[in-house]
Amino acid sequence: MANIVITSTTNSIKVDFNDLANAAGVKKGVWNKGRITFELDLLDSKVRVLVVGEAVWLVSFDGSSSTLQIDTINSVAPTSNSDLYDKLIALIA
């Protein structure tokens, strides 16, 4: 199953939700980097993706805890939720 694939451009983050489109409510999207923030929860069990004026998505590297699984960020697979958070933060740094 193909899960979420994220690709960074100079000013935006492109997301293809693939097989998780129904669960996310979005098939594909492009968001401005300045409108996105990320939060890693206290237990490292999920990452919250917050887009100004839009929905909040709960994501993880493995799809556990009722989260949406992210397969790759710029063609690199995250190895943990902490690693996922670090890779996502690097996109907007």
Side-chain angles (χ1 to χ4, degrees):
M1 172 159 97
N3 298 304
I4 299 171
V5 174
I6 298 174
T7 308
S8 177
T9 66
T10 302
N11 297 314
S12 64
I13 296 173
K14 295 172 32 177
V15 182
D16 189 338
F17 289 90
N18 292 305
D19 291 346
L20 297 177
N22 286 336
V26 178
K27 185 174 182 178
K28 294 182 181 189
V30 177
W31 288 274
N32 181 290
K33 289 181 179 182
R35 296 178 48 99
I36 299 174
T37 58
F38 305 102
E39 299 173 348
L40 178 63
D41 77 343
L42 291 173
L43 302 174
D44 287 353
S45 65
K46 62 184 152 280
V47 175
R48 286 180 201 87
V49 179
L50 301 100
V51 181
V52 175
E54 296 188 35
V56 173
W57 289 289
L58 301 177
V59 300
S60 67
F61 81 105
D62 62 0
S64 63
S65 302
S66 299
T67 59
L68 302 171
Q69 182 174 340
I70 295 182
D71 281 347
T72 61
I73 299 172
N74 288 335
S75 301
V76 179
T79 58
S80 68
N81 287 325
S82 181
D83 182 49
L84 171 62
Y85 174 79
D86 290 341
K87 284 178 174 29
L88 290 169
I89 290 301
L91 294 179
I92 60 173

